[in-house]
Amino acid sequence: MDTHKRNLMSQSILMVTIFMIFINHSSSTFHGSSGAEQLDTVVEGAEDHLAYPSTSDWIEELNDGMEDDEWQLVQKKGNQFVVNDQPFYVNGFNTYWLMVFAADKSTRGKVTDTFKQAFSVGLTVCRTWAFNDGQWRALQKSPSVYDEEVFKAKISNHFGLDFVISEARKYKIRLILSLTNNWDAYGGKSQYVKWGKAAGLNLTSDDDFFSHPTLKSYYKAHTVLNRVNTLTNITYKDDPTVFAWELMNEPRCTSDPSGDKLQDWIQEMAVYVKSLDPKHLVEIGLEGFYGPSAPGRVQFNPNTYAQQVGTDFIRNHQVLGVDFASVHIYADSWISQSISDLHLQFTKSWMEAHIEDAEKYLGMPIVFSEFGVSSKDPGYNSSFRDTLLITVYKTILNSTKKGGSGGGSLLWQLFPEGTDYMDDGYAIILSKSPSTSNIIALQSTRLALFNSRCSWKSHWGCRKKNPLETFPLYYDDL
């Protein structure tokens, strides 16, 4: 370890020590204004030392409930996530290709690199694909036929996804695992339709995926939930490393703008996944567009087309078996590719509308599970990307401050060094983006501080008070 890194680590550990000493000797003042002011000062001072890559030292001290023998399932209580009855607000990321890279020893190290870098800035949840249908390094060669040879390394004998889950656990990162795709990449619903046609089915649209009994049976047969991990000997459906199962990445059913066809599919599959695994959380994977059932909310859609894609945010999330809401944010795809302040205004109003819906109509947490901006957009610069992150993070914290439904966000997307050739324009490589890394780390720290507050039950009765009324986190200083 070089001197610079050693100094950064020492500073971080010093601040943890100061913070813990302060906690242990301040119980008499925590509920008074002087105690809050002192705590603000400690948090503010700590933030000065939270430079990448030392953030993990600070956050690991706070996450004292995350030891291996206490690694427990994420649950929900009302409109909040909890672990071991403590709040669990999420700062996370997407890296969709982990399973495919884990399948080959020449690329497997990038999986470890990704988790290592995410851990260094305190990211706690990763969303990734648990599907690859009929394509390169396919997981499913045909319905229910898995290519174990493709997913076995030459020097070891394990499934690619086994390695992803095992490595995630090592770095205390939980996984949202998506079970199929609306789009053609990695197979998705179009591949299921191709398989159906090859079997002689009379299919006319990719949207038949949502209604044809045989195609629905193909989907149900692709259940990695019952697999026993060859590296941990834990069945996926029993592993706390899994945060949630996602039914589909960005489902749309444009052939039925009423939304009835997709609604029926969501209801059927949410109940089915829950029947296989009642322990884990389930979410749909929606982008968040408002549909016919909420005419008063369509004003928040980014364009008129969004109302015609067969999704219906509130209605879709009211089905049995869905535990939390998911929303994506892509102003540069939905409004205008050219960068402008309108993107930021839309992002804020889009988030606030959905948080309000999650509280008022759904009574569940909400995760903004994809958001980002492409470096290929006209007018793009890294400063705008930082401003977008700050906008998303502030909006989450404004909800957290009130004990609201804003459960967290997952940036799209985190890449390690050496994977630039796969960059779709949205990749964030932490080592090349120090300002962005510090913003991410700061959000992680604030959420970790809040999530850990119940560790000190004797000091501030966390179950009786709104969290940030007694524990300000300088959320306005981003």
Side-chain angles (χ1 to χ4, degrees):
M1 182 183 297
D2 61 41
T3 302
H4 177 63
K5 289 184 179 179
R6 187 180 294 111
N7 288 339
L8 286 172
M9 183 174 293
S10 298
Q11 290 171 346
S12 186
I13 293 172
L14 174 62
M15 290 310 301
V16 170
T17 304
I18 293 171
F19 184 79
M20 297 307 292
I21 291 172
F22 177 78
I23 291 296
N24 291 332
H25 292 282
S26 302
S27 59
S28 63
T29 61
F30 264 35
H31 293 297
S33 59
S34 62
E37 289 169 2
Q38 292 177 54
L39 184 56
D40 285 351
T41 301
V42 172
V43 174
E44 188 178 45
E47 291 172 358
D48 292 338
H49 296 274
L50 289 173
Y52 172 83
S54 64
T55 307
S56 56
D57 301 304
W58 167 264
I59 292 174
E60 189 169 12
E61 289 291 331
L62 293 168
N63 288 337
D64 60 356
M66 296 293 187
E67 296 302 323
D68 285 343
D69 58 348
E70 298 179 7
W71 187 242
Q72 298 185 26
L73 288 164
V74 177
Q75 301 292 313
K76 72 159 187 167
K77 179 181 286 187
N79 64 349
Q80 296 178 322
F81 298 118
V82 294
V83 176
N84 193 24
D85 209 30
Q86 293 183 196
F88 185 68
Y89 284 83
V90 171
N91 196 26
F93 66 102
N94 289 266
T95 305
Y96 66 89
W97 43 256
L98 294 175
M99 180 178 65
V100 172
F101 271 50
D104 190 285
K105 67 177 183 178
S106 67
T107 52
R108 192 176 308 122
K110 296 301 180 185
V111 176
T112 303
D113 290 346
T114 301
F115 288 137
K116 186 182 297 184
Q117 291 180 29
F119 176 76
S120 74
V121 290
L123 296 171
T124 56
V125 173
C126 170
R127 178 172 169 268
T128 193
W129 297 168
F131 63 87
N132 187 18
D133 310 312
Q135 301 192 6
W136 179 66
R137 292 186 184 175
L139 173 60
Q140 253 189 130
K141 294 193 297 183
S142 58
S144 303
V145 178
Y146 293 89
D147 193 340
E148 289 283 347
E149 292 305 315
V150 170
F151 280 85
K152 288 177 182 177
K154 296 178 181 178
I155 59 173
S156 61
N157 185 27
H158 65 74
F159 199 54
L161 194 54
D162 289 356
F163 182 78
V164 173
I165 295 174
S166 175
E167 287 297 283
R169 183 176 181 131
K170 289 178 185 177
Y171 289 94
K172 300 181 181 177
I173 292 172
R174 301 175 190 270
L175 301 172
I176 296 176
L177 296 175
S178 188
L179 297 176
T180 195
N181 205 355
N182 181 73
W183 313 109
D184 294 347
Y186 288 72
K189 69 180 183 184
S190 64
Q191 182 61 60
Y192 281 85
V193 170
K194 289 176 184 176
W195 285 332
K197 288 180 177 178
L201 302 181
N202 182 23
L203 304 172
T204 59
S205 165
D206 284 353
D207 285 348
D208 288 338
F209 169 85
F210 296 113
S211 57
H212 197 284
T214 301
L215 300 189
K216 290 193 289 185
S217 73
Y218 290 170
Y219 176 88
K220 290 179 178 178
H222 171 55
T223 52
V224 295
L225 289 73
N226 287 315
R227 181 178 175 83
V228 178
N229 192 315
T230 57
L231 299 177
T232 65
N233 293 319
I234 302 172
T235 305
Y236 287 10
K237 67 181 182 181
D238 295 325
D239 195 335
T241 310
V242 177
F243 179 94
W245 301 106
E246 178 177 280
L247 298 182
M248 187 178 205
N249 174 53
E250 300 187 336
R252 294 185 183 185
C253 186
T254 55
S255 63
D256 179 22
S258 75
D260 292 343
K261 184 183 291 187
L262 182 57
Q263 179 76 1
D264 290 344
W265 184 86
I266 292 169
Q267 178 66 82
E268 181 176 350
M269 297 312 170
V271 170
Y272 179 73
V273 171
K274 277 290 188 182
S275 73
L276 296 177
D277 179 4
K279 299 177 184 178
H280 282 98
L281 302 176
V282 171
E283 54 102 352
I284 302 169
L286 290 172
E287 296 159 281
F289 302 133
Y290 293 101
S293 74
R297 307 301 277 173
V298 296
Q299 61 179 313
F300 293 104
N301 280 342
N303 50 55
T304 55
Y305 176 71
Q307 193 178 344
Q308 304 298 318
V309 298
T311 65
D312 202 330
F313 174 75
I314 296 174
R315 181 190 182 200
N316 294 158
H317 282 105
Q318 289 174 325
V319 306
L320 183 67
V322 174
D323 296 298
F324 67 95
S326 60
V327 176
H328 296 178
I329 313 170
Y330 288 111
D332 61 344
S333 294
W334 299 341
I335 297 176
S336 167
Q337 190 177 11
S338 297
I339 296 300
S340 78
D341 287 344
L342 290 176
H343 292 190
L344 304 176
Q345 295 166 17
F346 167 79
T347 296
K348 187 172 185 292
S349 63
W350 181 248
M351 292 180 70
E352 289 175 345
H354 286 83
I355 290 172
E356 180 183 346
D357 294 335
E359 293 168 358
K360 186 175 180 180
Y361 301 110
L362 304 178
M364 60 175 54
I366 185 169
V367 174
F368 297 90
S369 50
E370 287 189 24
F371 74 94
V373 61
S374 174
S375 60
K376 299 177 182 180
D377 292 338
Y380 170 88
N381 57 64
S382 60
S383 177
F384 182 85
R385 182 175 69 185
D386 288 350
T387 303
L388 177 67
L389 261 69
I390 289 169
T391 301
V392 171
Y393 289 163
K394 271 191 166 184
T395 307
I396 290 293
L397 287 168
N398 284 336
S399 176
T400 304
K401 175 172 70 82
K402 303 170 186 175
S405 286
S409 60
L410 310 174
L411 61 87
W412 184 276
Q413 56 183 322
L414 187 64
F415 274 25
E417 288 189 42
T419 54
D420 308 61
Y421 63 96
M422 294 182 61
D423 182 9
D424 59 355
Y426 292 85
I428 295 175
I429 299 174
L430 295 178
S431 59
K432 297 181 179 180
S433 309
S435 64
T436 305
S437 300
N438 285 332
I439 291 167
I440 295 168
L442 183 53
Q443 179 77 351
S444 296
T445 303
R446 289 174 172 137
L447 294 183
L449 286 168
F450 172 63
N451 289 344
S452 66
R453 85 195 194 286
C454 287
S455 299
W456 309 300
K457 294 183 178 71
S458 61
H459 294 307
W460 53 53
C462 59
R463 292 188 180 87
K464 297 180 181 179
K465 295 182 179 290
N466 283 340
L468 297 191
E469 289 178 4
T470 55
F471 194 14
L473 294 184
Y474 278 88
Y475 62 92
D476 286 332
D477 291 344
L478 273 169

